Amino acid sequence: MAEVLAAVGVVASIVQLVDFSTRVVSRLDEFYSVAKEVPKSFRHVKTELPLLRTTLEQLKAAIDTTPVADSSKKALLPVIAGCTEQVKQLDIILEKTLPETNDSWTKKAKKAVVSLHNDAKVESITKALRNYIGILTFYYAAASSTLQPLTGRSLFNNLYPFHPNCFIDVKLGKIRQWLSAPDPSTNYQKALKLRQADTGIWLLESDTYTRWKTAATSPLWLYGIPGCGKTILSSTVLEDLFQDCQDDPRKAIAYFFFDFNDVQKQDPDMMIRSVVCQLSQQCIKIPVSLDALFSSNESEQLQPPTHTLMEALRLMVQGLPIVYIVLDALDECTQREELMEMLETIAGWQLPNLHFMVTSRKVGDIEMPLESFVDERCRICLESKLVDKDIRRYVRQRLSDDKRLRKWEKDASTMGQIETALMSGAKGMCVCLVMSQYHYMLTMIPGFDGPSANWMH
């Protein structure tokens, strides 16, 4: 029943928007038939509106004839609402600025001046409509395509994009083998296991993260001392993004964990291969740029040069409505200069649909390049006052669960001393290091009969 209601709501909204945009186009056409020209600020709109109408009509036909996931229909509603709002704003401007045949020359001149003042607003509306048309085109392609690598975002379940339930085209499988990208899901799953429930909420609820997630104008950079929990926070962010992705087919996610313990995960070239590989799984069809790159190298079994993969990545991101890329532990990359050049190139694309996050220690060869293209408002220092909240939650949970301390669980004073000692020694360290200290401190309590005189020191 819910699916039927969603479909009816989407179709009705599309019909209304088609009618509305048709009226606005007619107003422009009517003016053109009299004046033989369209004001400069409206020329692009006159092109975009018919394209919007055509895209909507195609999408409606696809929904009428093709089973479309309920989540896709629900996700379409705010897109259509956004389109409607832009067209309404445009209609208001048209009413104020387009002269009518019976207007006096004075009134026409006045409207011409008003038209000039609205140029920037009309340009903004045009840009927004182009973005919405791109999203609607994506949905239309998804509804009408026979090649859908992901049969539904609900299959994600917070797992790596190479989900076993995904339909993988044979050629796409060959491309994956050709890229030979390392699998970062092992790092992600490991970090999730180490994460204490409800930690990292401060980040997800912060204004900086919310702003980056919804309207990124700059990459997001989390930095801090070794052991402050950057990788755990990366997994927290990914878990949050995967959850959003379940309910919104527009969104695609790729990620990579640089790792001192894995040679392949120290190479920036392998990072690009992994990101390209992951995003290709979330496209409606094999991206043309990647297909061409594969075809040109397949016969000679050559590996793709990094710069060609970067270009394929750029075109792939442009072809997706919303893309999130998360890169953890840049300082564990062994070729940092090359990596920073790649990141600077990606930032230089200035793609409005790309939400890009990195974590690292604050070291010179990373800090200086990042500060050149990461807005100061998009830098989060993982200092003690932020991280210690998570550590305290973890410590309290462990103290509560540890059977060896059960005899003292009613002794608030002793338990408080243990917690205070752990927290005073934490100084922003991650929970793993704190718990090493915790286990050492337990050994300093003779026979667990009570705290020794010196264990707090």
Side-chain angles (χ1 to χ4, degrees), residues 76-110:
L76 265 171
L77 289 172
V79 178
I80 295 170
C83 276
T84 303
E85 179 59 31
Q86 295 300 320
V87 177
K88 281 182 179 177
Q89 289 185 31
L90 182 62
D91 191 45
I92 292 169
I93 294 173
L94 285 172
E95 190 173 350
K96 292 179 179 177
T97 59
L98 289 187
E100 298 178 5
T101 53
N102 58 349
D103 282 348
S104 65
W105 283 106
T106 304
K107 194 169 185 178
K108 286 180 179 178
K110 187 176 180 180

Side-chain angles (χ1 to χ4, degrees), residues 13 35-36 48 61 106 178 185 214 280 305 320 349 380 383 420 437:
S13 298
K36 302 303 179 186
E48 298 299 332
T106 304
W178 172 63
S185 67
T214 55
S280 70
L320 290 162
W349 294 340
I380 298 179
E383 54 192 352
T420 299
Q437 181 185 4

Side-chain angles (χ1 to χ4, degrees), residues 20 27 85 104 162 170 203 228 353 394 405 410 415 448:
F20 190 20
R27 176 177 285 188
E85 179 59 31
S104 65
F162 301 166
V170 173
L203 173 62
C228 69
N353 62 322
Y394 186 89
L405 297 175
K410 294 181 180 179
M415 297 297 276
F448 295 105

Side-chain angles (χ1 to χ4, degrees), residues 26-27 111 158 168 189 192 272 276 296 301 303 323 406 420 441 446 453-454:
S26 296
R27 176 177 285 188
K111 285 187 175 182
N158 294 344
I168 301 175
Q189 296 297 341
L192 279 183
I272 291 296
V276 167
S296 64
Q301 297 183 329
Q303 288 297 306
V323 177
R406 188 158 292 171
T420 299
M441 286 172 60
N454 299 317

Side-chain angles (χ1 to χ4, degrees), residues 234-248:
S234 291
S235 72
T236 302
V237 168
L238 285 169
E239 189 174 46
D240 178 60
L241 293 176
F242 281 135
Q243 181 127 24
D244 279 357
C245 197
Q246 281 185 318
D247 302 322
D248 193 342

Side-chain angles (χ1 to χ4, degrees), residues 368-387:
M368 290 181 64
L370 285 182
E371 287 184 344
S372 69
F373 58 82
V374 176
D375 189 281
E376 190 171 357
R377 294 173 302 169
C378 293
R379 306 171 196 168
I380 298 179
C381 175
L382 304 180
E383 54 192 352
S384 295
K385 66 180 182 181
L386 296 174
V387 181

Side-chain angles (χ1 to χ4, degrees), residues 32-248:
Y32 179 76
S33 66
V34 175
K36 302 303 179 186
E37 66 174 349
V38 174
K40 184 179 179 181
S41 58
F42 293 102
R43 289 173 189 168
H44 293 305
V45 171
K46 194 175 184 303
T47 303
E48 298 299 332
L49 281 176
L51 180 57
L52 172 63
R53 185 175 58 191
T54 301
T55 305
L56 288 166
E57 289 170 343
Q58 290 175 335
L59 183 57
K60 178 182 176 297
I63 291 174
D64 287 340
T65 58
T66 309
V68 179
D70 189 34
S71 59
S72 295
K73 294 166 189 170
K74 288 180 180 178
L76 265 171
L77 289 172
V79 178
I80 295 170
C83 276
T84 303
E85 179 59 31
Q86 295 300 320
V87 177
K88 281 182 179 177
Q89 289 185 31
L90 182 62
D91 191 45
I92 292 169
I93 294 173
L94 285 172
E95 190 173 350
K96 292 179 179 177
T97 59
L98 289 187
E100 298 178 5
T101 53
N102 58 349
D103 282 348
S104 65
W105 283 106
T106 304
K107 194 169 185 178
K108 286 180 179 178
K110 187 176 180 180
K111 285 187 175 182
V113 172
V114 173
S115 176
L116 290 174
H117 287 306
N118 281 283
D119 276 358
K121 192 169 185 179
V122 173
E123 182 59 34
S124 175
I125 291 172
T126 304
K127 186 176 179 181
L129 286 175
R130 282 183 189 141
N131 181 52
Y132 283 129
I133 289 169
I135 295 171
L136 292 168
T137 302
F138 176 86
Y139 278 114
Y140 167 67
S144 58
S145 175
T146 57
L147 173 61
Q148 297 186 43
L150 293 180
T151 56
R153 295 302 176 118
S154 59
L155 295 176
F156 251 111
N157 294 326
N158 294 344
L159 292 175
Y160 185 59
F162 301 166
H163 194 284
N165 290 331
C166 298
F167 171 75
I168 301 175
D169 180 77
V170 173
K171 188 169 188 179
L172 193 58
K174 289 182 179 179
I175 291 175
R176 282 180 53 194
Q177 287 184 330
W178 172 63
L179 288 172
S180 302
D183 176 5
S185 67
T186 52
N187 302 79
Y188 172 53
Q189 296 297 341
K190 181 179 178 181
L192 279 183
K193 288 179 181 178
L194 290 173
R195 182 190 170 211
Q196 170 68 34
D198 298 325
T199 56
I201 302 300
W202 63 266
L203 173 62
L204 302 184
E205 293 179 347
S206 68
D207 291 340
T208 302
Y209 177 75
T210 301
R211 186 169 56 246
W212 169 80
K213 186 178 172 183
T214 55
T217 55
S218 164
L220 178 63
W221 177 27
L222 308 186
Y223 63 90
I225 62 174
C228 69
K230 298 183 290 294
T231 295
I232 304 296
L233 280 172
S234 291
S235 72
T236 302
V237 168
L238 285 169
E239 189 174 46
D240 178 60
L241 293 176
F242 281 135
Q243 181 127 24
D244 279 357
C245 197
Q246 281 185 318
D247 302 322
D248 193 342

